Every structure is written in C-alpha cells, then in structure tokens.
Amino acid sequence: MGLGFTVGVIGVLILGHAAYSTIQYRSLLKITEEEFSGPPMEVVLELLVGLLFCMWAALTVPGKFLSVHPHSDENRVVSLPENVDFMIFNHRGRAFSSEVGLKLKH
Amino acid sequence: MAVGHGDSSSSDKKSTDALTDLQTFNAENLQSNMKVIYYSRTFLSIIGGVIAGILGFKGLIGFVFYFLVMAVTSAALTAKAKFSIHSYFDTWNRVLLDGFFGGLMSFVLFWTYPSRF
C-alpha cells in the first residue's frame, strides 16, 4: 500500500514536470510564432513513463479483489465467538448430523 | 419448524436453491470489488485527461485516446482478477463497463483544463 502510493505520487510528479516543460515549450513557440504540433520527444517519453507509473499505482493501491464465491476457503461463515464461557453444547442440535469437514475461521 | 444448520451470516447473500450456485454470492465482497474498480477507473481517467491535454489532442482523437486508456484499464483489471472473473464478480459487464461514463466526464474536465495555457 505504501509503495503503490509512492509510485503513484512519483507518476503524478513526472506528469506535472512534463506539463511544465510543455508550457515552457509552448511559450517558446509563441515567441518564434510557430504552430504547436506536439510536445518534444522527451516530453512524450516522460508522459509514457508517468502513465505507466500511474497505471501501476491505480491497480495496486485501491486494494485486492476478494472472492465472491460463497463456498471458498476465505469466505468461511462458521466461526466461534470469543467468549466460550456462555456457550452450551448440550442442546437439541445433537439430533442433527454434523459435518466432519467443518473448519474454524480465526 | 425445522431450521437446520442456520448459518448466522454477517454478509447478506442472495441465494436461490443450492443447484444454481452462480446466483449465490457474497454481496459484501462484491461491493468491495466494485469500489476497487471504480477508484482505479476514475484515477486513470483523470490521468488520461491530463495526458491528452498535454499532448494537445483536439476533437475526436481525444475520445479515441480515452477509449484506448479504458481498454487498457479493463485488460489490466482482468489480469488483476487473474482472468477468472466469476470468482470475483457476477457478470462481465461490471468489469468492462462500470464507471465508464463517470470516467468520461472526469476525462473531459481534465482534458480541456490545460487548454487555457
């Protein structure tokens, strides 16, 4: 999380630097009265690098995907509460057949 | 009335019968996954808008650039879900189309903003 955030900030800073360079380039073109066809090649490379950094940050920072499947291992519903003092087991649930394969979620 | 193995689920599930397992999913995790997609798409639309503004795109080519960025984002999100969409979402449309038009608004905003320079 921290690393992804740092990479994102670096990407945004690179984009800001590219924007500043383009603004300077444009004002130079205004002085020489030429048409702005596109930023110089270094700025394009900088934009590409900044885009890659921001893409990587956008995919890692928001968080992981959690499984939606209800029967997967990380979506366990069976869990014991922390206070076992008040739990009784001597009830009518004995009449139901128990599944031996139940695992506890911590 | 027999209740059976009453599972006290903290996450509300939408379920039909046990045979159509695709209908049953953990809605809380699905919402969390949708938020992840939304954040990723919004951030990348803003970045795409800034880049389109810097490169000086005008007119249709800007929208083409936005579609390109969104296509790459969809591919990257699919890769993040390890290509098994059904274990993280219920339909394909969510991964591909959700947040598309909201991102378009942000893109246009940041695309036209640098043009005052």
Coordinates of all heavy atoms in Angstrom, one line a residue, chain A residues 8 12 15 18-19 22-23 26 30 36-39 43-44 47 50-51 54-55 57-71 75 77 96-99, chain B residues 3-5 7-9 13 21 24-26 29-30 32-33 36-37 39-40 43-44 47 50-51 54-56 58 69 72-73 76-77 80-81 87-89 114-115 117:
Chain A
G8 N 2.6 6.1 -7.2 CA 1.5 7.0 -7.8 C 1.9 8.4 -7.7 O 1.8 9.2 -8.7
V12 N 2.6 11.1 -10.8 CA 1.9 12.4 -10.9 C 2.9 13.5 -11.0 O 2.7 14.5 -11.7 CB 0.9 12.6 -9.7 CG1 0.4 14.0 -9.7 CG2 -0.2 11.6 -9.9
L15 N 4.3 13.6 -14.4 CA 3.3 14.3 -15.3 C 3.3 15.8 -15.1 O 3.2 16.5 -16.1 CB 1.9 13.7 -15.1 CG 1.7 12.3 -15.6 CD1 0.2 11.9 -15.3 CD2 1.9 12.2 -17.0
A18 N 6.3 17.1 -16.9 CA 6.1 17.1 -18.3 C 5.2 18.3 -18.7 O 5.4 18.9 -19.8 CB 5.4 15.8 -18.7
A19 N 4.1 18.6 -17.9 CA 3.2 19.7 -18.2 C 4.0 21.0 -18.2 O 3.8 21.9 -19.0 CB 2.1 19.7 -17.2
T22 N 6.0 21.4 -21.2 CA 5.2 21.7 -22.4 C 4.8 23.1 -22.4 O 4.8 23.8 -23.4 CB 4.0 20.8 -22.4 OG1 4.4 19.4 -22.3 CG2 3.3 20.9 -23.7
I23 N 4.5 23.7 -21.2 CA 4.1 25.1 -21.1 C 5.3 25.9 -21.5 O 5.1 26.9 -22.3 CB 3.6 25.4 -19.7 CG1 2.3 24.7 -19.4 CG2 3.4 26.9 -19.5 CD1 1.9 24.8 -18.0
R26 N 5.7 25.7 -25.2 CA 4.6 26.5 -26.0 C 4.9 28.0 -25.9 O 4.7 28.7 -26.9 CB 3.3 26.2 -25.3 CG 2.6 25.0 -25.9 CD 1.2 25.1 -25.5 NE 0.4 24.3 -26.4 CZ -0.9 23.9 -26.2 NH1 -1.4 24.3 -25.0 NH2 -1.5 23.2 -27.0
K30 N 5.5 30.5 -29.0 CA 4.7 31.8 -29.2 C 5.7 32.9 -29.6 O 5.4 33.8 -30.4 CB 4.0 32.1 -27.9 CG 2.7 31.5 -27.8 CD 1.7 32.3 -26.9 CE 0.4 31.5 -26.7 NZ 0.6 30.4 -25.7
F36 N 2.0 24.9 -32.7 CA 2.2 23.8 -31.7 C 1.7 22.5 -32.3 O 0.5 22.3 -32.3 CB 1.5 24.2 -30.4 CG 1.6 23.1 -29.4 CD1 2.8 22.9 -28.7 CD2 0.5 22.3 -29.1 CE1 2.9 21.9 -27.8 CE2 0.6 21.3 -28.1 CZ 1.8 21.1 -27.5
S37 N 2.6 21.7 -32.8 CA 2.1 20.4 -33.4 C 2.1 19.3 -32.4 O 1.3 18.4 -32.4 CB 2.9 20.1 -34.6 OG 4.3 19.9 -34.2
G38 N 3.1 19.4 -31.5 CA 3.1 18.4 -30.5 C 4.3 18.7 -29.6 O 5.2 19.4 -30.0
P39 N 4.3 18.1 -28.4 CA 5.4 18.4 -27.5 C 6.7 17.7 -27.9 O 6.6 16.8 -28.7 CB 4.9 17.8 -26.1 CG 3.9 16.8 -26.5 CD 3.3 17.3 -27.8
V43 N 9.4 15.0 -23.8 CA 8.1 15.1 -23.0 C 7.2 13.9 -23.3 O 6.5 13.4 -22.4 CB 7.4 16.4 -23.4 CG1 6.1 16.5 -22.7 CG2 8.3 17.6 -22.9
V44 N 7.2 13.4 -24.5 CA 6.4 12.3 -24.8 C 6.8 11.0 -24.1 O 6.0 10.3 -23.5 CB 6.4 12.0 -26.3 CG1 5.6 10.7 -26.7 CG2 5.7 13.2 -27.1
L47 N 5.8 11.4 -20.5 CA 4.4 11.2 -20.3 C 4.1 9.7 -20.3 O 3.3 9.2 -19.5 CB 3.6 11.8 -21.5 CG 3.4 13.3 -21.4 CD1 2.6 13.8 -22.6 CD2 2.7 13.7 -20.1
G50 N 5.3 8.4 -16.9 CA 4.4 8.8 -15.9 C 3.1 8.0 -16.0 O 2.5 7.6 -15.0
L51 N 2.6 7.7 -17.2 CA 1.4 6.9 -17.4 C 1.6 5.5 -16.9 O 0.7 5.0 -16.2 CB 1.0 6.9 -18.9 CG -0.2 6.1 -19.2 CD1 -1.5 6.7 -18.6 CD2 -0.4 6.0 -20.7
C54 N 1.5 5.6 -13.1 CA 0.2 5.9 -12.5 C -0.7 4.6 -12.7 O -1.6 4.3 -11.9 CB -0.5 7.1 -13.2 SG 0.3 8.6 -12.6
M55 N -0.5 3.9 -13.8 CA -1.3 2.7 -14.1 C -1.0 1.7 -13.0 O -1.9 1.1 -12.5 CB -1.0 2.2 -15.4 CG -1.9 2.7 -16.5 SD -2.1 1.6 -17.8 CE -3.4 2.4 -18.7
A57 N 0.1 2.2 -10.0 CA -0.4 2.6 -8.8 C -1.9 2.5 -8.7 O -2.5 2.0 -7.7 CB 0.0 4.1 -8.5
A58 N -2.6 2.7 -9.8 CA -4.1 2.7 -9.8 C -4.5 1.2 -9.7 O -5.6 1.0 -9.2 CB -4.6 3.2 -11.1
L59 N -3.7 0.3 -10.0 CA -4.1 -1.1 -9.9 C -3.8 -1.7 -8.6 O -4.4 -2.6 -8.1 CB -3.5 -2.0 -11.0 CG -4.0 -1.6 -12.4 CD1 -3.2 -2.3 -13.4 CD2 -5.4 -2.0 -12.5
T60 N -2.7 -1.2 -7.9 CA -2.3 -1.8 -6.6 C -2.8 -1.1 -5.4 O -3.1 -1.7 -4.4 CB -0.8 -1.9 -6.5 OG1 -0.3 -0.6 -6.9 CG2 -0.3 -2.9 -7.5
V61 N -3.0 0.2 -5.5 CA -3.4 1.0 -4.3 C -4.8 0.7 -3.8 O -5.0 0.5 -2.6 CB -3.2 2.5 -4.5 CG1 -3.8 3.3 -3.4 CG2 -1.7 2.8 -4.6
P62 N -5.9 0.7 -4.7 CA -7.2 0.5 -4.1 C -7.5 -0.7 -3.3 O -8.4 -0.8 -2.5 CB -8.1 0.6 -5.3 CG -7.3 1.3 -6.3 CD -5.9 0.9 -6.1
G63 N -6.7 -1.8 -3.5 CA -6.9 -3.0 -2.7 C -7.1 -4.2 -3.5 O -7.2 -4.2 -4.7
K64 N -7.1 -5.3 -2.9 CA -7.2 -6.6 -3.6 C -8.6 -6.9 -3.9 O -9.5 -6.4 -3.3 CB -6.6 -7.7 -2.7 CG -5.1 -7.6 -2.5 CD -4.6 -8.5 -1.4 CE -5.4 -9.8 -1.3 NZ -4.8 -10.9 -1.9
F65 N -8.8 -7.8 -4.8 CA -10.1 -8.4 -5.1 C -10.4 -9.5 -4.1 O -9.5 -10.4 -3.9 CB -10.1 -9.0 -6.5 CG -10.3 -7.9 -7.6 CD1 -9.7 -8.1 -8.8 CD2 -11.0 -6.8 -7.3 CE1 -9.9 -7.1 -9.8 CE2 -11.1 -5.8 -8.3 CZ -10.6 -6.0 -9.5
L66 N -11.6 -9.5 -3.5 CA -11.9 -10.5 -2.6 C -12.9 -11.5 -3.3 O -13.6 -11.1 -4.2 CB -12.7 -9.9 -1.4 CG -11.9 -8.9 -0.6 CD1 -12.8 -8.2 0.4 CD2 -10.8 -9.6 0.1
S67 N -12.8 -12.7 -3.0 CA -13.5 -13.7 -3.7 C -15.0 -13.6 -3.3 O -15.4 -13.4 -2.2 CB -13.0 -15.1 -3.3 OG -13.9 -16.1 -3.7
V68 N -15.8 -13.8 -4.4 CA -17.3 -13.7 -4.2 C -17.9 -15.0 -4.0 O -19.0 -15.2 -3.5 CB -17.9 -13.0 -5.4 CG1 -19.3 -12.7 -5.2 CG2 -17.1 -11.8 -5.8
H69 N -17.2 -16.1 -4.3 CA -17.7 -17.4 -4.2 C -18.0 -17.7 -2.8 O -17.2 -17.6 -1.9 CB -16.6 -18.4 -4.8 CG -17.2 -19.7 -5.2 ND1 -18.1 -19.8 -6.2 CD2 -17.1 -20.9 -4.7 CE1 -18.4 -21.0 -6.4 NE2 -17.8 -21.8 -5.5
P70 N -19.2 -18.2 -2.5 CA -19.6 -18.3 -1.1 C -19.0 -19.5 -0.4 O -18.8 -19.6 0.8 CB -21.1 -18.5 -1.1 CG -21.4 -19.0 -2.4 CD -20.4 -18.4 -3.4
H71 N -18.5 -20.5 -1.2 CA -18.0 -21.7 -0.6 C -16.5 -21.8 -0.6 O -15.9 -22.8 -0.4 CB -18.6 -22.9 -1.3 CG -20.1 -23.0 -1.2 ND1 -20.8 -23.0 0.0 CD2 -21.0 -22.9 -2.2 CE1 -22.1 -23.0 -0.3 NE2 -22.2 -23.0 -1.6
N75 N -14.1 -17.4 2.6 CA -15.5 -16.8 3.0 C -16.1 -17.7 4.0 O -17.3 -18.0 3.9 CB -16.3 -16.8 1.7 CG -15.9 -15.6 0.9 OD1 -15.2 -14.7 1.4 ND2 -16.4 -15.5 -0.3
V77 N -18.2 -19.0 7.0 CA -19.2 -18.4 7.8 C -19.2 -19.0 9.2 O -19.6 -18.4 10.2 CB -20.6 -18.6 7.2 CG1 -21.7 -17.9 8.0 CG2 -20.6 -18.0 5.8
F96 N -29.2 -33.3 15.0 CA -28.8 -33.2 13.6 C -27.4 -33.8 13.3 O -26.6 -33.8 14.2 CB -28.7 -31.7 13.2 CG -30.0 -31.0 13.2 CD1 -30.1 -29.9 14.0 CD2 -31.0 -31.4 12.4 CE1 -31.3 -29.2 14.0 CE2 -32.2 -30.7 12.4 CZ -32.4 -29.6 13.2
S97 N -27.3 -34.3 12.1 CA -26.0 -35.0 11.8 C -25.0 -33.9 11.6 O -25.3 -32.8 10.9 CB -26.1 -35.8 10.5 OG -26.5 -35.0 9.5
S98 N -23.8 -34.0 12.1 CA -22.8 -33.0 12.0 C -21.9 -33.3 10.8 O -21.6 -34.5 10.5 CB -22.0 -32.9 13.3 OG -21.3 -34.1 13.5
E99 N -21.4 -32.3 10.1 CA -20.4 -32.4 9.0 C -19.0 -32.4 9.7 O -18.7 -31.5 10.4 CB -20.5 -31.3 8.0 CG -21.9 -31.2 7.4 CD -22.0 -29.9 6.6 OE1 -21.0 -29.4 6.2 OE2 -23.1 -29.5 6.4
Chain B
V3 N -35.3 -25.9 11.3 CA -34.4 -24.8 10.8 C -33.2 -25.3 10.2 O -32.7 -24.8 9.2 CB -34.1 -23.8 12.0 CG1 -33.2 -22.7 11.5 CG2 -35.4 -23.2 12.5
G4 N -32.6 -26.4 10.7 CA -31.4 -26.9 10.1 C -30.2 -26.2 10.5 O -30.1 -25.5 11.5
H5 N -29.2 -26.2 9.7 CA -27.9 -25.5 10.0 C -28.1 -24.1 9.7 O -27.7 -23.6 8.7 CB -26.8 -26.1 9.1 CG -26.4 -27.5 9.4 ND1 -25.6 -27.8 10.5 CD2 -26.8 -28.6 8.9 CE1 -25.5 -29.2 10.5 NE2 -26.2 -29.7 9.5
D7 N -27.1 -20.7 9.4 CA -25.8 -20.0 9.4 C -26.1 -18.5 9.6 O -26.8 -17.9 8.9 CB -25.1 -20.2 8.0 CG -26.0 -20.0 6.9 OD1 -27.2 -19.9 7.1 OD2 -25.5 -20.0 5.7
S8 N -25.5 -18.0 10.7 CA -25.6 -16.6 11.0 C -24.6 -15.9 10.2 O -23.5 -15.7 10.6 CB -25.4 -16.4 12.5 OG -24.1 -16.8 12.9
S9 N -25.0 -15.4 9.0 CA -24.0 -14.8 8.1 C -24.1 -13.3 8.4 O -25.1 -12.7 8.4 CB -24.4 -15.1 6.7 OG -25.7 -14.7 6.4
K13 N -26.5 -12.6 1.7 CA -26.3 -13.3 0.5 C -27.6 -13.4 -0.3 O -28.7 -13.4 0.3 CB -25.9 -14.8 0.8 CG -24.7 -14.9 1.6 CD -24.3 -16.4 1.8 CE -23.1 -16.4 2.6 NZ -22.4 -17.7 2.4
D21 N -25.7 -22.4 -8.3 CA -24.7 -21.8 -7.4 C -24.3 -20.5 -7.9 O -23.7 -19.7 -7.1 CB -23.5 -22.8 -7.3 CG -22.7 -22.4 -6.1 OD1 -23.3 -22.2 -5.1 OD2 -21.5 -22.3 -6.2
T24 N -25.7 -17.4 -6.0 CA -25.4 -17.2 -4.6 C -24.0 -16.5 -4.6 O -23.0 -17.1 -5.1 CB -25.3 -18.5 -3.8 OG1 -26.5 -19.2 -4.1 CG2 -25.2 -18.2 -2.4
F25 N -23.9 -15.3 -4.1 CA -22.6 -14.7 -3.9 C -22.6 -13.8 -2.7 O -23.6 -13.4 -2.2 CB -22.2 -14.0 -5.2 CG -23.2 -13.0 -5.7 CD1 -23.4 -11.8 -5.1 CD2 -24.1 -13.3 -6.7 CE1 -24.3 -10.9 -5.5 CE2 -25.0 -12.4 -7.2 CZ -25.1 -11.2 -6.6
N26 N -21.4 -13.6 -2.3 CA -21.1 -12.8 -1.1 C -21.2 -11.3 -1.5 O -20.3 -10.8 -2.1 CB -19.7 -13.2 -0.6 CG -19.5 -12.5 0.7 OD1 -20.2 -11.7 1.2 ND2 -18.4 -13.1 1.4
N29 N -18.3 -8.6 -0.4 CA -17.1 -8.7 -1.1 C -17.3 -8.1 -2.5 O -16.4 -7.5 -3.1 CB -16.6 -10.1 -1.2 CG -15.9 -10.5 0.1 OD1 -15.7 -9.7 0.9 ND2 -15.5 -11.8 0.2
L30 N -18.4 -8.4 -3.1 CA -18.7 -7.9 -4.5 C -18.7 -6.3 -4.5 O -18.1 -5.7 -5.3 CB -20.1 -8.4 -5.0 CG -20.5 -7.9 -6.3 CD1 -19.6 -8.5 -7.4 CD2 -21.9 -8.2 -6.6
S32 N -17.1 -4.4 -2.4 CA -15.7 -4.0 -2.2 C -14.9 -4.1 -3.5 O -14.2 -3.2 -3.8 CB -15.0 -4.9 -1.1 OG -13.7 -4.9 -1.3
N33 N -15.2 -5.1 -4.3 CA -14.5 -5.2 -5.6 C -15.0 -4.1 -6.5 O -14.2 -3.6 -7.3 CB -14.8 -6.6 -6.2 CG -14.2 -7.7 -5.4 OD1 -13.3 -7.5 -4.6 ND2 -14.6 -8.9 -5.7
V36 N -13.1 -1.0 -5.8 CA -11.7 -1.0 -6.3 C -11.7 -0.6 -7.8 O -10.9 0.2 -8.2 CB -11.1 -2.4 -6.1 CG1 -9.9 -2.6 -6.8 CG2 -10.9 -2.7 -4.6
I37 N -12.6 -1.2 -8.5 CA -12.7 -0.9 -10.0 C -13.0 0.6 -10.2 O -12.4 1.2 -11.0 CB -13.8 -1.8 -10.6 CG1 -13.3 -3.2 -10.8 CG2 -14.1 -1.2 -12.0 CD1 -14.3 -4.0 -11.6
Y39 N -12.4 3.2 -8.2 CA -11.3 4.0 -7.9 C -10.3 4.0 -9.0 O -9.7 5.0 -9.4 CB -10.6 3.6 -6.6 CG -11.4 3.9 -5.3 CD1 -11.3 3.2 -4.2 CD2 -12.4 4.9 -5.3 CE1 -12.0 3.5 -3.0 CE2 -13.1 5.2 -4.2 CZ -12.9 4.5 -3.1 OH -13.6 4.8 -1.9
S40 N -10.0 2.7 -9.4 CA -8.9 2.6 -10.5 C -9.3 3.3 -11.7 O -8.5 4.1 -12.3 CB -8.7 1.1 -10.8 OG -8.3 0.4 -9.7
F43 N -9.3 7.3 -11.3 CA -7.9 7.8 -11.3 C -7.3 7.8 -12.6 O -6.7 8.7 -13.1 CB -7.1 7.0 -10.3 CG -5.7 7.5 -10.1 CD1 -5.4 8.7 -9.7 CD2 -4.6 6.7 -10.5 CE1 -4.1 9.2 -9.5 CE2 -3.3 7.1 -10.4 CZ -3.1 8.4 -9.9
L44 N -7.5 6.7 -13.4 CA -6.9 6.6 -14.7 C -7.5 7.5 -15.7 O -6.9 7.9 -16.7 CB -6.9 5.1 -15.2 CG -5.7 4.4 -14.5 CD1 -5.8 2.9 -14.9 CD2 -4.4 4.9 -14.9
I47 N -5.9 10.9 -15.1 CA -4.5 10.9 -15.6 C -4.6 10.9 -17.1 O -3.8 11.6 -17.8 CB -3.8 9.6 -15.1 CG1 -3.6 9.7 -13.6 CG2 -2.4 9.5 -15.8 CD1 -2.8 10.8 -13.1
V50 N -5.3 14.5 -18.2 CA -4.1 15.3 -18.1 C -3.2 15.1 -19.3 O -2.6 16.0 -19.9 CB -3.4 15.1 -16.8 CG1 -2.1 15.8 -16.7 CG2 -4.3 15.6 -15.7
I51 N -2.9 13.8 -19.6 CA -2.0 13.5 -20.7 C -2.6 14.0 -22.1 O -1.8 14.5 -22.9 CB -1.8 12.0 -20.7 CG1 -0.9 11.6 -19.5 CG2 -1.1 11.5 -22.0 CD1 -0.6 10.1 -19.4
I54 N -1.9 17.6 -22.3 CA -0.5 18.0 -22.5 C -0.2 17.7 -24.0 O 0.5 18.5 -24.6 CB 0.4 17.2 -21.6 CG1 0.1 17.7 -20.1 CG2 1.8 17.4 -21.9 CD1 0.9 16.9 -19.1
L55 N -0.6 16.6 -24.5 CA -0.3 16.2 -25.9 C -1.0 17.1 -26.9 O -0.6 17.1 -28.1 CB -0.6 14.8 -26.1 CG 0.4 13.8 -25.5 CD1 -0.1 12.4 -25.7 CD2 1.8 13.9 -26.1
G56 N -2.0 17.9 -26.4 CA -2.6 18.8 -27.4 C -3.6 18.1 -28.3 O -3.8 18.5 -29.4
K58 N -7.0 17.4 -30.0 CA -8.2 18.2 -30.2 C -9.2 17.3 -31.0 O -8.9 16.7 -31.9 CB -7.9 19.5 -31.0 CG -6.9 20.4 -30.3 CD -7.4 21.8 -30.4 CE -6.4 22.8 -29.9 NZ -5.7 22.4 -28.6
V69 N -7.3 4.2 -23.3 CA -6.9 4.1 -21.9 C -7.9 3.2 -21.2 O -7.5 2.4 -20.4 CB -6.9 5.5 -21.3 CG1 -6.7 5.4 -19.8 CG2 -5.7 6.3 -21.8
V72 N -7.2 -0.5 -22.0 CA -6.0 -1.0 -21.3 C -6.4 -1.2 -19.9 O -5.9 -2.2 -19.3 CB -4.8 0.0 -21.5 CG1 -3.7 -0.4 -20.7 CG2 -4.4 0.0 -23.0
T73 N -7.2 -0.3 -19.3 CA -7.5 -0.4 -17.9 C -8.4 -1.7 -17.7 O -8.2 -2.4 -16.7 CB -8.4 0.8 -17.4 OG1 -7.7 2.0 -17.8 CG2 -8.6 0.7 -16.0
A76 N -6.1 -4.6 -17.8 CA -5.3 -4.7 -16.6 C -6.1 -5.2 -15.4 O -5.6 -6.0 -14.6 CB -4.6 -3.4 -16.3
L77 N -7.4 -4.8 -15.4 CA -8.2 -5.2 -14.3 C -8.5 -6.7 -14.4 O -8.6 -7.4 -13.4 CB -9.5 -4.4 -14.2 CG -9.4 -3.0 -13.6 CD1 -10.7 -2.2 -13.9 CD2 -9.1 -3.1 -12.2
K80 N -5.6 -8.4 -13.2 CA -5.5 -8.4 -11.8 C -6.5 -9.4 -11.1 O -6.1 -10.0 -10.1 CB -5.9 -7.0 -11.3 CG -5.9 -6.8 -9.8 CD -6.2 -5.5 -9.3 CE -6.2 -5.5 -7.8 NZ -6.3 -4.2 -7.2
A81 N -7.6 -9.7 -11.8 CA -8.5 -10.7 -11.3 C -8.1 -12.1 -11.7 O -8.9 -13.0 -11.6 CB -9.9 -10.4 -11.8
S87 N -15.0 -15.6 -10.1 CA -14.7 -15.8 -8.7 C -14.7 -14.5 -8.0 O -14.6 -14.4 -6.8 CB -13.4 -16.6 -8.5 OG -12.4 -15.8 -9.0
Y88 N -14.7 -13.3 -8.8 CA -14.7 -12.0 -8.1 C -15.9 -11.2 -8.4 O -16.2 -10.3 -7.7 CB -13.4 -11.3 -8.4 CG -12.2 -12.0 -8.0 CD1 -11.3 -12.5 -8.9 CD2 -11.9 -12.1 -6.6 CE1 -10.2 -13.2 -8.5 CE2 -10.8 -12.7 -6.2 CZ -9.9 -13.3 -7.1 OH -8.8 -13.9 -6.7
F89 N -16.6 -11.5 -9.5 CA -17.8 -10.7 -9.9 C -18.8 -11.6 -10.4 O -18.6 -12.8 -10.7 CB -17.4 -9.7 -11.0 CG -16.3 -8.7 -10.6 CD1 -15.0 -9.0 -10.9 CD2 -16.6 -7.6 -9.8 CE1 -14.0 -8.1 -10.5 CE2 -15.6 -6.8 -9.4 CZ -14.3 -7.0 -9.8
P114 N -6.1 22.1 -19.3 CA -4.9 22.7 -19.6 C -4.9 23.6 -20.9 O -3.9 24.2 -21.2 CB -3.9 21.6 -19.8 CG -4.6 20.4 -19.2 CD -6.0 20.7 -19.4
S115 N -6.0 23.6 -21.6 CA -6.0 24.3 -22.9 C -6.0 25.8 -22.7 O -5.8 26.5 -23.7 CB -7.3 23.9 -23.7 OG -8.4 24.5 -23.1
F117 N -3.6 27.3 -21.4 CA -2.2 27.7 -21.4 C -1.8 28.0 -22.8 O -2.0 27.2 -23.7 CB -1.3 26.6 -20.9 CG -1.5 26.3 -19.4 CD1 -1.8 25.1 -19.0 CD2 -1.4 27.4 -18.5 CE1 -2.0 24.9 -17.6 CE2 -1.5 27.1 -17.2 CZ -1.9 25.9 -16.7

